[in-house]
Amino acid sequence: MASADERRFEVLRAIVADYVSEQEPVGSKALVDRHDLAVSSATVRNDMASLEEDGYITQPHTSAGRIPTDKGYRLFVDRLSEIKPLSTAERRAIHRFLDGANDLDDVLRRSVRLLAQLTRQVAVVQYPTLTNSTVRHVEVVPLTSARLMLVLITDTGRVDQRTVELGDVLGEESVALLRDQLNNALAGRKLADAAAKVSELPEQGPPELREVMTRVATTLVESLVEDPEDRLVLGGTANLTNSVADFPDSLREVLEALEEQVVVLKLLAAARNPGSVTVRIGEENEDAQMRSTSVVSIGYGSDDLLLGGMGVVGPTRMDYPGTIAAVRAVANYVGRILAGG
């Protein structure tokens, strides 16, 4: 026989399930009719009274039914012993959709679209943090005899292109020498070290290339030091407008907060481990504008290298098991793509 606490939790779980799917406050009769709780209506009513007293459910003013509180959702999420796995079709869709990506920007844009579609919420992905990135290769492409394109490629798949006006005509041999010097100095180095190394290059090269190398070095340092960690890709904002009833007074505030990158970056900062999902519910969100939402976030990357964060923002009345499964699956796949696996 289940303990009274276990039985009450089963009632709470049933209330969460019904409220998420039906969007209506849940009464004791509906619970008994819809769920195999194996107890009488009177017992369910007592359990609901007890859950309400402890702050796990509450009664909206106009209704006889009850809805979960932030505290109730938190208990429900903490007790999720198993996350329902994504279906084979959903997993295949993730692979197919993301495998077609051409570069980092494309991977992140596709990830956001996919997460927004799978969860029907707002999806957000942070660009990979650069502090851990390594220079994989620098390509030097002559556009004209006096203009070069520098292409910087990192191990996270980031590709940066910069054009350099040389103020001088450069022959093929000089371009090849420049390419070799840049790659010898930079390939395999962390970006922060590479920036220091590249600024030494003008002194180390042949005197006739010094001015060209100075221009190239100046342009490359901008690429290496510029930090797109603060860049975010957002998708599915319109999904929030399908849940207007969940934000009776605060939808505009939430939309305004989502436009503020700082707020969203703070939400993602909680997710520091690849594979480990963080769920912030309602009042647990630091930013006052986001207290009517829940945020499900995760770090993406490989086991030993966190690249960035991604997640989903929606009303507290969300399908937590499904959302957690989708966020985890997309993050795993993006981590594998960007780690070169």
Side-chain angles (χ1 to χ4, degrees):
M1 180 72 186
S3 71
D5 279 350
E6 277 303 315
R7 198 188 62 231
R8 271 195 294 273
F9 179 69
E10 286 307 314
V11 170
L12 173 64
R13 184 152 54 187
I15 291 170
V16 169
D18 281 7
Y19 184 55
V20 167
S21 64
E22 303 297 324
Q23 305 184 31
E24 295 287 343
V26 185
S28 57
K29 183 176 184 312
L31 285 183
V32 173
D33 290 347
R34 286 190 202 132
H35 298 270
D36 182 17
L37 297 170
V39 289
S40 68
S41 299
T43 304
V44 170
R45 277 197 300 278
N46 287 340
D47 286 344
M48 286 176 77
S50 162
L51 286 166
E52 188 168 10
E53 205 174 297
D54 292 341
Y56 293 109
I57 59 175
T58 187
Q59 180 175 21
H61 305 305
T62 55
S63 163
R66 304 291 186 277
I67 64 173
T69 60
D70 290 356
K71 184 180 174 184
Y73 284 125
R74 168 49 60 199
L75 180 63
F76 171 75
V77 168
D78 288 346
R79 294 277 302 272
L80 278 177
S81 52
E82 55 192 58
I83 300 301
K84 66 179 183 198
L86 293 185
S87 69
T88 310
E90 284 171 322
R91 280 203 305 276
R92 210 175 286 133
I94 291 175
H95 292 200
R96 207 171 37 241
F97 195 61
L98 293 182
D99 273 344
N102 302 316
D103 56 23
L104 175 66
D105 291 336
D106 200 15
V107 170
L108 299 186
R109 276 196 303 271
R110 284 168 181 250
S111 306
V112 149
R113 284 222 313 273
L114 187 60
L115 257 186
Q117 281 168 14
L118 286 171
T119 62
R120 295 186 294 285
Q121 312 290 2
V122 180
V124 56
V125 179
Q126 175 189 16
Y127 263 72
T129 52
L130 290 184
T131 37
N132 298 319
S133 295
T134 301
V135 177
R136 186 179 279 167
H137 182 68
V138 182
E139 190 50 66
V140 181
V141 183
L143 297 175
T144 69
S145 55
R147 185 193 292 156
L148 295 176
M149 181 189 281
L150 301 174
V151 184
L152 179 80
I153 302 161
T154 70
D155 61 342
T156 54
R158 178 177 165 232
V159 178
D160 232 336
Q161 298 182 350
R162 301 283 169 126
T163 306
V164 189
E165 300 290 343
L166 300 176
D168 209 345
V169 171
L170 215 57
E172 275 181 38
E173 280 181 24
S174 297
V175 170
L177 181 62
L178 190 63
R179 185 185 293 119
D180 287 346
Q181 284 205 297
L182 288 172
N183 279 297
N184 289 339
L186 303 183
R189 287 186 185 275
K190 294 270 189 239
L191 261 59
D193 304 337
K197 197 75 184 161
V198 84
S199 50
E200 297 167 7
L201 283 175
E203 303 305 316
Q204 295 166 354
E208 67 273 15
L209 278 182
R210 187 163 296 170
E211 193 191 332
V212 166
M213 190 58 99
T214 303
R215 291 181 183 223
V216 166
T218 306
T219 303
L220 266 181
V221 166
E222 283 174 13
S223 264
L224 293 163
V225 173
E226 198 179 75
D227 196 349
E229 286 175 32
D230 293 351
R231 282 175 64 195
L232 293 166
V233 193
L234 237 77
T237 314
N239 287 334
L240 284 185
T241 57
N242 300 331
S243 312
V244 176
D246 291 301
F247 306 103
D249 307 311
S250 57
L251 181 58
R252 199 166 130 211
E253 281 185 5
V254 173
L255 292 170
E256 281 169 5
L258 287 173
E259 281 176 19
E260 297 211 17
Q261 302 237 337
V262 182
V263 172
V264 184
L265 282 164
K266 245 192 307 190
L267 299 174
L268 294 182
R272 295 324 300 162
N273 297 320
S276 173
V277 177
T278 301
V279 182
R280 291 261 179 91
I281 298 169
E283 293 293 325
E284 295 168 358
N285 286 307
E286 210 178 300
D287 196 280
Q289 291 166 289
M290 300 300 283
R291 293 205 177 131
S292 57
T293 70
S294 283
V295 182
V296 178
S297 57
I298 191 170
Y300 68 89
S302 58
D303 291 342
D304 52 354
L305 180 62
L306 176 74
L307 294 175
M310 69 169 60
V312 157
V313 179
T316 53
R317 184 191 62 79
M318 72 162 65
D319 168 18
Y320 289 97
T323 302
I324 292 168
V327 166
R328 185 180 286 156
V330 173
N332 283 346
Y333 204 66
V334 169
R336 283 217 302 281
I337 291 174
L338 296 184

